[in-house]
């Protein structure tokens, strides 16, 4: 069933049960929002999306008002604009004047609206909140309640997407405070540090702690990637500045996961630039031939673990190569060694000597190939997978 | 109240049967007001005293609901002669029994005296406070024992339910309520029958019937009194509503600060269930319904119907946007009918006596009665039930007995913190939904607060703004922050720091809150300030332009002074001043040091020679 209504003089036909906001967006008509997010339930809290509905007693919020046949809506009339401006003025009257150094400057829904509606940061004698900044020991989530506009997106993201119900509001009126659990630390309130709440915060009240001061939206390049941790295949954007990953942000159009990520995908990227990270195959010297030459020729290197005190800082010449020394080789050499050893094992001890453990970090296809390799090439049924439990 | 009274008030009504009442009985008010002034002890003493005289079987001592005249409590009424005793203590009980019951002599010192002539008044309904009242919702309060269902049944209780179940279809019930013109008593005045009809028509089940007994208006206690004095009337109204809309379950949302009301409700629910008025197949008919009490934690905003339902669901008591309205999507997303306590309490009368009977009460389009908690600067304060259409003047002067000490009336606030104030010129406004609205106030569901010349209207407005600030749920910015800014601005003005631009700023904030707020709390919270500013702008300007509080109330703008000619140098003021701000020799005129004076006013109160004035 469809319903036809008129928005700003334009006839719009859309599915029954839609909201005014959905109807307007389907027709390409822009209505600003703050507390609304398409992934979350609508609560009508922020009042930014108010529109004029002919015949209604008061302005209505587009994000919550169901459409009706013959409805006549104005989304940008003077009274609508004035009311939005008033809401923004009120929000700014209890907001720090901190866009200069704010992490999300340039990527802030409030800042954009304040700009669009020409609202100035007001000086006044009245109260502004002065909450402690970053009071929570959660290693990943940074909180600055002074910037919180109480839109409740984090509350709903945590409850509706992550099903953890960590956040809610305590107290009433001007004293309303975003709290975890019963005003506890996040980790004591069932938080699993997935960062969904951060991802949905329209302002800089919740931010990724590891990324503080590392680069704002206009200073980073976003690189879409697939998470390397498990086979689900979540997509997200690496925020890269000067060749280094400084943050992970959700990609709303990610086909598998949308905005959602787990703690590993969102915050587990520090290994990427870690000095201990292995970036080339290592083979013990005893399995290789012509080690001396290749080392001299610079094709291979002696592997020196970081921070073990052996590399006096003056080059690898002084290192003695024993049969146990790890040599950093190339993939072909390393795989040849593996193939040779597999064949030898099979000849000497038979297929029963093999046990294979597959990884959840691989895709289904990779795991399928792994199983084929085990059964058909190696000839063993002793296969297991770390995600079997 | 008494038999004659009801006959006198609603002559054509059959509300008045008193069958099964013993001929001699003593009503002891056991409403919250009188209980707090020790009426339970009075009742106990009466029972013992009667026993001592061997009268226990001839004279019944009955606990009843509220008489409304709580300021004069504990109230005791002797029947059948209907003598009205006020401020009764256990020590008075001996006289009541020995003089009144045994010797048939009234105990004059306990009788209410006319404030002017000082003559004791015999019958309760001859007292000015009751003179213009018409008790329909409260007609059992003060008569029946609310914890005894037989008392309710003896007064035609549950007859309307029987009529509905045996003779009427749900649609006929709804038509009757629509025809009666009943409008919701929760404040908005929405037609009750129409709401039922929409809820009935929404094709989704289950449906719920909900009674709003949150009653958060400061000073209001009419819903509490109704529930404490006549809980079955509300329950019966709800069962009828459930039948009409097709609901199986219902909730009564009552604030936990009303323990007595909750207790009486629970007793009434248990008794109704025992007698088959609640539960499966009510009275053998093919209709089942049951009711539960949900205790609220006492947030004003939880009286707003959507916040109320959120609270029943166990969520934070924040309002939801409407539409969709509760009739379409309410409790747990299901069609739900929310009505006020009093709205339900009218229903049994309407069904039993007919829509036509109800329509002729009160004012056109505003049938029935209005119930107010009359407070502030009037001689008689308390709970009153008056016909719609009565004027403010009649309420304040005839029922309220006028302003104490001959002071001048200044304003009357209706609708509580979401209402507005009206000045003297509006005193002849009829009290009904439409007239009050047209005058710029609202009916609301609350107190009627009278202000006199000693009330500072800026302070008065500020009081309500502070209430709104404290009670705003905080969900939406216009209300959460706007109310804070309004309060701050008013505080500036009363502190003598205001500017004329502040008045424009107040108007600007008010407009933004009205347009932008989610629920009626934020939309209407500016009304008290705006109506005060409309009618008493001079007073606001005096605070700003002359740094003067005309009523002498705003501490920052007043000074206490001793008139040397009147001061005898008795030193009472100096000895009692908490900040030692008064100096002077014995028998010499004293002086107040304005730098030390905290303007508490104690000295002025204590001075026997009226030598201390406020400037
Ligand atoms: C802030 C606020 C507080 C309210 N408090 C009450 C209340 O205490 N009792 C009540 O019956 N209605 C209250 N209402 C009105 C209810 O929202 C609702 O309109 C009413 O219960 C409907 O019942 P009625 O149709 O019988 O009037 C309040 C409304 C607002 C906005
Ligand atoms: S990090 Fe995840 S689990 Fe923790 S509060 Fe945020 S959304 Fe909830
Ligand atoms: S922290 Fe962010 S998402 Fe959460 S309520 Fe505040 S502004 Fe909204
Ligand atoms: S108007 Fe006030 S009480 Fe109502 S939703 Fe908004 S903040 Fe809450
Ligand atoms: S986006 Fe609609 S009220 Fe916030």
């Amino acid at each position: 069933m469809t319903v036809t209504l008129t928005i700003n003089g334009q006839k719009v036909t859309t599915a029954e049960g839609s909201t005014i906001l959905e109807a307007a967006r389907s027709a390409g008509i822009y209505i600003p929002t703050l507390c609304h997010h398409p992934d979350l339930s609508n609560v009508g809290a922020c009042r930014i999306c108010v529109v004029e509905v002919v015949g209604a007693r008061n302005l209505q919020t587009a994000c919550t008002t169901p459409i009706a046949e013959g409805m006549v809506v104005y989304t940008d009339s003077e009274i609508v604009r004035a009311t939005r401006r008033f809401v923004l003025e009120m929000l700014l009257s209890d907001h720090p004047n901190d866009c200069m150094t704010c992490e999300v400057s340039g990527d802030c829904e409030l800042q954009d609206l304040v700009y669009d509606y020409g609202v100035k940061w007001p000086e006044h004698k009245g109260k502004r909140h002065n909450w402690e900044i970053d009071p929570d020991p959660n290693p990943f989530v940074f909180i600055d309640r002074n910037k919180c506009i109480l839109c409740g997106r984090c509350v709903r993201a945590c409850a509706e997407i992550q099903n953890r119900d960590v956040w809610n509001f305590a107290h009433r009126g001007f004293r309303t405070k975003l709290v975890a659990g019963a005003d506890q630390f996040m980790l004591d309130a069932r938080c699993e540090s997935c960062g969904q709440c951060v991802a949905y915060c329209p302002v800089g009240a919740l931010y990724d702690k590891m990324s503080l001061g590392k680069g704002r939206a206009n200073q980073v390049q976003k690189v879409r990637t697939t998470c390397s941790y498990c086979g689900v295949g979540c997509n997200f954007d690496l925020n890269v500045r000067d060749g280094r990953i400084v943050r992970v942000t959700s990609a709303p159009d990610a086909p598998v996961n949308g905005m959602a990520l787990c703690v590993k995908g969102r915050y587990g990227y520090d290994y990427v630039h870690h000095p201990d990270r292995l970036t080339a195959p290592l083979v013990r010297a005893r399995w290789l031939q012509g080690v001396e030459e290749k080392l001299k020729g610079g094709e291979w290197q002696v592997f020196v673990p970081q921070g073990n005190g052996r590399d006096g800082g003056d080059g690898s010449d002084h290192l003695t190569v024993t049969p146990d020394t790890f040599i950093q080789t190339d993939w072909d050499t390393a795989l040849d060694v593996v193939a040779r050893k597999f064949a030898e094992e099979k000849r000497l001890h038979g297929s029963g000597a093999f046990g294979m453990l597959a990884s959840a970090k691989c895709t289904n296809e990779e795991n399928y190939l792994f199983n084929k390799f085990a059964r058909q090439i190696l000839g063993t049924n002793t296969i297991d997978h770390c995600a079997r439990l | 109240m008494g038999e004659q009274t009801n006959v006198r008030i609603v002559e054509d009504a059959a509300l008045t049967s008193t069958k099964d009442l013993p001929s001699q009985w003593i009503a002891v008010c056991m409403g919250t007001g009188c209980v707090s002034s020790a009426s339970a002890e009075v009742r106990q003493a009466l029972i013992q005293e009667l026993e001592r005289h061997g009268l226990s079987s001839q004279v019944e001592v009955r606990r009843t609901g509220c008489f409304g005249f709580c300021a004069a409590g504990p109230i005791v009424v002797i029947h059948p002669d209907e003598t009205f005793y006020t401020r009764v203590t256990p020590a008075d009980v001996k006289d009541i029994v020995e003089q009144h019951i045994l010797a048939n002599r009234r105990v004059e010192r306990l009788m209410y005296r006319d404030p002017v002539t000082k003559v004791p008044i015999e019958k309760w309904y001859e007292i000015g406070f009751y003179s213009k009242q018409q008790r329909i919702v409260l007609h059992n309060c003060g008569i029946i024992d609310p914890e005894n269902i037989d008392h309710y049944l003896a007064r035609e209780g549950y007859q309307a339910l029987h009529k509905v179940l045996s003779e009427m279809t749900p649609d006929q019930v709804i038509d009757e309520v629509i025809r009666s013109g009943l409008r919701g008593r929760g404040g908005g005045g929405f037609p009750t029958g129409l709401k039922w009809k929409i809820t009935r028509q929404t094709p989704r089940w289950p449906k719920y019937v909900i009674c709003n007994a949150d009653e958060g208006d400061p000073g209001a206690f009419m819903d509490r009194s109704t529930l404490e004095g006549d809980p079955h009337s509300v329950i019966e109204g709800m069962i009828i509503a459930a039948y009409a809309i097709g609901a199986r379950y219902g909730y009564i949302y009552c604030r936990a600060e009303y323990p007595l009301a909750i207790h009486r409700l629970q007793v009434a629910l248990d008794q109704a269930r025992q007698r088959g008025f609640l539960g499966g197949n009510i009275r053998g008919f093919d209709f089942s319904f049951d009711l539960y009490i949900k205790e609220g934690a006492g947030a004003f905003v939880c009286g707003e119907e959507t916040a109320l339902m959120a609270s029943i669901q166990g969520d934070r008591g924040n309002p939801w946007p409407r539409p969709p309205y509760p009739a379409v999507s309410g409790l747990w997303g299901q069609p739900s009918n929310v009505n006020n306590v009093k709205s339900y309490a009218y229903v049994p009368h309407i069904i039993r006596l007919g829509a036509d009977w109800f329509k002729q009460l009160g004012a056109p389009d505003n049938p029935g009665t209005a119930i107010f908690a009359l407070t502030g600067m009037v001689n008689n304060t308390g709970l009153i039930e008056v016909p719609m259409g009565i004027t403010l003047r009649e309420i304040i002067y005839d029922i309220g007995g006028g302003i104490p000490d001959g002071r001048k009336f200044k304003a009357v606030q209706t609708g509580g913190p979401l209402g507005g104030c009206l000045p003297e010129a509006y005193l002849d406004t009829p009290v009904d939904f439409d007239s009050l609205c047209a005058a710029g106030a609202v009916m609301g569901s609350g107190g009627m607060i009278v202000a006199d010349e000693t009330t500072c209207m800026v302070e008065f407005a500020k009081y309500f703004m502070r209430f709104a600030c404290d009670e705003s749920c905080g969900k939406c910015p216009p209300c959460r922050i706007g109310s804070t800014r309004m309060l701050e601005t008013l505080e500036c003005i009363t502190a003598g720091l205001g500017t004329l631009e502040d008045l424009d700023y107040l108007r600007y904030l008010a407009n933004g809150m009205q347009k932008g707020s989610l629920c009626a709390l934020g939309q209407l919270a500016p009304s008290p300030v705006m109506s005060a500013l409309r009618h008493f702008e001079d007073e606001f300007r005096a605070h700003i332009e002359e740094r003067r509080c005309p009523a002498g109330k705003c501490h920052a703008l007043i000074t206490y002074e001793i008139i040397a000619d009147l001061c005898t140098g008795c030193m009472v003021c100096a000895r009692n001043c908490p900040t030692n701000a008064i100096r002077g020799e014995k028998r010499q005129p004293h002086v107040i040091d304005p730098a030390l004076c905290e303007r508490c006013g104690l000295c002025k109160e204590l001075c026997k020679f009226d030598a201390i004035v406020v400037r």
Side-chain angles (χ1 to χ4, degrees):
Chain A
M1 286 280 280
T2 60
V3 166
T4 301
L5 68 163
T6 311
I7 307 181
N8 302 344
Q10 178 184 338
K11 286 254 180 294
V12 177
T13 301
T14 188
E16 189 183 348
S18 309
T19 61
I20 294 177
L21 180 68
E22 286 160 347
R25 292 205 168 158
S26 76
I29 298 166
Y30 168 71
I31 297 173
T33 56
L34 272 176
C35 69
H36 162 87
H37 191 286
D39 296 349
L40 307 173
S41 60
N42 286 312
V43 292
C46 77
R47 320 303 295 165
I48 278 296
C49 70
V50 285
V51 296
E52 226 180 315
V53 177
V54 174
R57 260 196 316 171
N58 215 335
L59 299 177
Q60 301 283 322
T61 39
C63 68
T64 60
T65 309
I67 54 171
E69 188 64 43
M71 201 179 224
V72 179
V73 179
Y74 294 97
T75 68
D76 207 36
S77 58
E78 195 30 58
I79 177 176
V80 164
R81 292 185 62 84
T83 305
R84 287 183 192 149
R85 212 175 293 124
F86 176 76
V87 171
L88 292 168
E89 276 166 14
M90 288 301 108
L91 287 175
L92 277 202
S93 81
D94 184 31
H95 203 86
N97 189 8
D98 187 32
C99 289
M100 279 293 188
T101 52
C102 182
E103 292 296 336
V104 298
S105 182
D107 186 23
C108 172
E109 295 180 33
L110 179 64
Q111 196 184 40
D112 287 350
L113 283 169
V114 163
Y115 172 79
D116 284 348
Y117 282 82
V119 179
K120 295 274 178 278
W121 187 84
E123 304 265 6
H124 61 78
K125 300 174 268 194
K127 287 187 275 194
R128 271 178 218 273
H129 278 106
N130 193 10
W131 305 106
E132 183 189 347
I133 294 175
D134 193 19
D136 197 295
N138 182 299
F140 303 111
V141 178
F142 165 87
I143 310 172
D144 182 354
R145 290 191 173 83
N146 300 311
K147 292 178 181 170
C148 174
I149 57 170
L150 301 176
C151 69
R153 266 158 65 160
C154 55
V155 178
R156 281 169 285 146
C158 187
E160 295 169 13
I161 294 185
Q162 204 61 22
N163 273 282
R164 299 302 292 175
D165 285 285
V166 171
W167 294 116
N168 212 323
F169 298 119
H171 310 297
R172 291 199 288 261
F174 197 72
R175 290 173 302 131
T176 306
K177 178 187 181 189
L178 175 69
V179 295
D183 208 352
Q184 295 157 282
F185 290 142
M186 293 173 71
L187 292 177
D188 296 330
R190 296 184 7 112
C191 172
E192 52 188 29
S193 300
C194 66
Q196 243 67 273
C197 48
V198 176
Y200 283 89
C201 181
V203 296
L206 295 179
Y207 197 72
D208 300 317
K209 221 174 241 186
M210 288 158 62
S211 308
L212 289 169
K214 297 270 170 63
R216 299 202 278 208
N218 66 331
Q219 295 169 310
V220 299
Q221 193 194 347
K222 291 203 172 184
V223 180
R224 180 67 50 91
T225 190
T226 302
C227 182
S228 61
Y229 274 107
C230 79
V232 168
C234 296
N235 282 185
F236 50 73
D237 290 332
L238 297 172
N239 292 212
V240 180
R241 186 181 185 196
D242 300 332
R244 293 184 72 84
I245 300 168
V246 295
R247 192 186 183 201
V248 163
T249 47
S250 293
D253 55 341
V256 175
N257 58 309
M259 297 273 286
L261 286 173
C262 76
V263 59
K264 293 181 289 179
R266 195 182 303 280
Y267 297 120
Y269 58 83
D270 49 348
Y271 73 91
V272 175
H273 301 295
H274 197 282
D276 281 353
R277 181 179 174 199
L278 301 182
T279 50
L282 306 183
V283 182
R284 297 225 190 257
R286 74 173 84 225
W287 310 120
L288 296 169
Q289 258 131 42
V291 173
E292 290 283 297
E293 265 165 52
K294 298 268 187 178
L295 285 177
K296 270 209 190 87
E299 280 171 73
W300 297 349
Q301 279 89 38
V302 173
F303 173 68
V304 184
Q306 291 289 313
N308 67 358
R310 280 168 64 194
D311 164 12
D314 51 356
S316 57
D317 283 1
H318 298 283
L319 294 169
T320 35
V321 174
T322 71
D324 278 342
T325 304
F326 270 127
I327 305 297
Q328 200 167 306
T329 66
D330 54 285
W331 281 109
D332 282 346
T333 308
L335 289 173
D336 275 350
V337 172
V338 173
R340 208 170 63 233
K341 296 287 292 171
F342 273 174
E344 196 178 313
E345 266 333 278
K346 189 171 174 180
R347 186 169 48 78
L348 288 177
H349 304 294
S351 295
F354 292 104
M356 305 288 284
L357 186 66
S359 168
K361 287 178 85 163
C362 302
T363 61
N364 279 346
E365 292 78 358
E366 285 161 344
N367 275 315
Y368 176 77
L369 289 174
F370 182 85
N371 128 79
K372 279 287 182 204
F373 175 78
R375 292 183 211 272
Q376 293 194 348
I377 313 293
L378 298 180
T380 181
N381 286 330
T382 312
I383 312 175
D384 214 331
H385 185 281
C386 73
R388 187 177 63 92
L389 286 177
Chain B
M1 303 250 162
E3 298 78 321
Q4 298 93 318
T5 333
N6 274 325
V7 173
R8 194 175 61 87
I9 287 173
V10 238
E11 274 154 25
D12 54 345
L15 283 176
T16 52
S17 159
T18 51
K19 57 185 168 233
D20 296 332
L21 297 182
S23 61
Q24 199 169 27
W25 53 285
I26 306 176
V28 183
C29 176
M30 294 283 276
T32 290
C34 283
V35 168
S36 66
S37 51
S39 66
E41 287 78 351
V42 171
R43 175 165 171 262
Q44 212 46 49
L46 271 170
I47 291 171
Q48 278 163 9
E49 188 67 17
L50 288 168
E51 208 168 72
R52 215 167 58 81
H53 290 278
L55 291 168
S56 301
S57 54
Q58 283 114 297
V59 186
E60 181 197 349
V61 179
R62 187 181 299 172
R63 118 188 87 199
T64 71
C66 177
F67 289 78
F69 207 16
C70 314
I75 305 280
V76 169
V77 178
I78 315 292
H79 290 265
D81 51 285
E82 300 193 305
T83 309
F84 191 77
Y85 288 141
T86 59
R87 296 196 177 83
V88 182
T89 66
D92 299 320
V93 161
K94 197 162 179 295
D95 286 353
I96 292 179
V97 173
E98 287 177 359
Q99 283 185 36
H100 194 141
I101 305 289
L102 289 172
N104 208 10
R105 267 187 295 122
R106 293 196 166 86
V107 188
E108 278 212 0
R109 72 186 154 80
L110 296 175
M111 286 160 71
Y112 179 82
R113 281 167 199 273
D114 186 284
V116 181
T117 63
K118 307 290 179 207
V119 176
I121 297 175
E122 266 179 32
K123 311 263 184 205
W124 65 269
Y125 49 82
E126 287 160 359
I127 296 172
F129 181 72
Y130 292 104
S131 59
K132 297 212 165 165
Q133 293 202 40
Q134 177 175 28
R135 291 165 82 98
I136 295 176
V137 166
L138 301 175
H139 89 287
N140 275 336
C141 286
I143 300 290
I144 66 167
D145 177 349
E147 296 188 28
N148 187 340
I149 191 172
D150 287 321
H151 283 205
Y152 183 66
L153 292 169
R155 303 261 295 170
E156 271 80 39
Y158 289 109
Q159 287 184 10
L161 177 63
H162 186 82
K163 178 173 172 189
V164 159
L165 293 177
S166 58
E167 296 169 19
M168 297 171 82
T169 64
D171 287 318
Q172 282 171 334
V173 175
I174 290 177
D175 284 346
E176 192 70 9
V177 177
I178 290 181
R179 247 175 19 87
S180 77
L182 175 63
R183 297 171 68 170
R185 294 312 201 247
F190 189 84
T192 303
L194 187 57
K195 198 188 273 188
W196 292 14
K197 188 171 183 169
I198 302 168
T199 317
R200 174 168 181 76
Q201 283 170 347
T202 306
R204 273 185 303 121
W205 289 266
K207 303 183 189 202
Y208 296 101
V209 173
I210 299 167
C211 174
N212 189 341
D214 189 57
E215 193 163 57
D217 279 22
F221 59 104
M222 47 284 248
D223 294 351
R224 188 190 77 201
S225 292
T226 308
L227 292 173
E228 284 177 2
D230 196 11
H232 285 289
S233 65
V234 181
I235 295 171
E236 187 179 0
M238 290 187 74
I239 305 172
I240 293 171
Y243 175 77
I245 70 164
R248 175 68 179 79
Y249 294 103
Y251 290 90
I252 301 172
Y253 186 90
C254 187
R255 54 175 42 220
E257 292 98 320
Y258 284 179
L260 189 58
I262 290 171
H263 167 74
R264 299 248 163 98
L265 261 176
Q266 195 56 60
V267 170
L269 288 177
D270 292 345
Q271 291 180 350
R273 229 171 260 136
Q274 256 168 26
R275 301 289 177 96
F277 294 115
L278 280 174
N281 292 0
I282 290 176
R283 304 299 284 173
F285 289 94
D286 182 22
F287 170 65
S288 304
F289 178 67
D290 217 332
L291 255 178
Y292 304 95
I293 301 170
K294 169 76 192 177
E295 291 183 35
F300 175 59
V301 72
C302 284
E304 198 282 337
E305 56 189 14
T306 59
L308 181 148
M309 290 185 295
S311 175
I312 294 179
Q313 290 180 198
D315 296 333
R316 184 176 156 88
N318 280 0
W320 309 321
R322 302 170 307 172
Y325 285 89
V328 175
S329 174
L331 190 60
W332 289 297
Q334 297 301 124
S336 307
N337 181 75
V338 185
N339 277 128
N340 174 259
V341 170
K342 288 155 279 163
S343 312
Y344 286 122
Y346 282 112
V347 170
H349 299 314
I350 291 173
I351 296 294
R352 207 157 39 75
L353 302 171
D356 294 322
W357 163 80
F358 189 73
K359 258 196 309 207
Q360 46 89 35
L361 304 169
D365 294 331
N366 292 268
T369 51
I371 310 188
F372 288 104
L374 183 62
T375 62
M377 300 298 179
V378 275
N379 279 312
N380 303 327
T381 60
L383 192 66
I384 59 168
E385 180 168 1
V386 289
M388 287 270 190
I390 192 173
T391 65
L392 288 166
R393 190 185 300 281
E394 287 174 284
I395 292 181
I396 294 164
Y397 287 93
D398 298 344
I399 297 174
I403 317 294
D405 303 331
R407 291 195 299 266
K408 227 168 110 9
F409 169 87
K410 189 185 260 181
V412 55
Q413 168 103 7
T414 62
L418 306 183
C421 66
L422 294 172
E424 183 151 21
Y426 288 80
L427 273 181
D428 292 312
T429 308
V431 173
D432 62 54
F433 289 105
D434 304 323
S435 311
L436 283 178
C437 200
V442 296
M443 185 82 178
S445 142
M448 177 176 283
I449 305 167
V450 179
D452 70 11
E453 56 188 330
T454 64
T455 313
C456 166
M457 291 312 286
V458 187
E459 190 71 46
F460 193 67
K462 194 173 85 178
Y463 166 80
F464 291 111
M465 203 64 231
R466 174 165 298 124
F467 181 84
C469 263
D470 287 346
E471 296 297 331
S472 157
C473 83
K475 180 169 175 176
C476 70
C479 169
R480 174 179 78 233
I481 310 175
S483 64
T484 305
R485 301 290 170 241
M486 281 191 84
L487 179 61
E488 286 166 353
T489 310
L490 289 165
E491 273 167 351
C492 253
I493 295 174
T494 54
L497 304 168
T499 63
L500 283 179
E501 289 79 70
D502 283 342
L503 299 184
D504 292 332
Y505 188 47
L506 282 174
R507 293 189 182 97
Y508 177 73
L509 289 164
N511 179 52
M513 287 176 70
Q514 284 153 3
K515 300 274 179 350
S517 293
L518 192 166
C519 82
L521 196 161
Q523 290 161 9
L524 300 178
S527 308
V529 180
M530 285 303 101
S531 58
L533 191 51
R534 191 174 326 118
H535 300 301
F536 301 96
E537 186 168 341
D538 287 353
E539 233 176 294
F540 282 76
R541 284 176 171 269
H543 284 74
I544 294 168
E545 293 176 318
E546 304 164 39
R547 300 283 184 247
R548 186 174 67 83
C549 172
K553 277 280 140 73
C554 293
H555 285 187
L557 300 179
I558 54 170
T559 47
Y560 283 87
E561 268 176 43
I562 297 176
I563 300 172
D565 289 351
L566 295 176
C567 176
T568 63
C570 74
M571 303 195 71
V572 164
C573 58
R575 268 201 306 275
N576 284 288
C577 173
T579 58
N580 291 324
I582 306 178
R583 277 169 291 120
E585 296 295 316
K586 205 169 173 140
R587 281 191 270 283
Q588 295 298 314
H590 283 44
V591 253
I592 301 177
D593 179 351
L596 293 176
C597 171
E598 285 201 329
R599 297 154 181 100
C600 67
L602 188 63
C603 54
K604 184 171 186 293
E605 241 167 71
L606 293 175
C607 178
K608 292 195 199 75
F609 308 99
D610 288 336
I612 302 180
V613 292
V614 179
R615 290 207 208 277

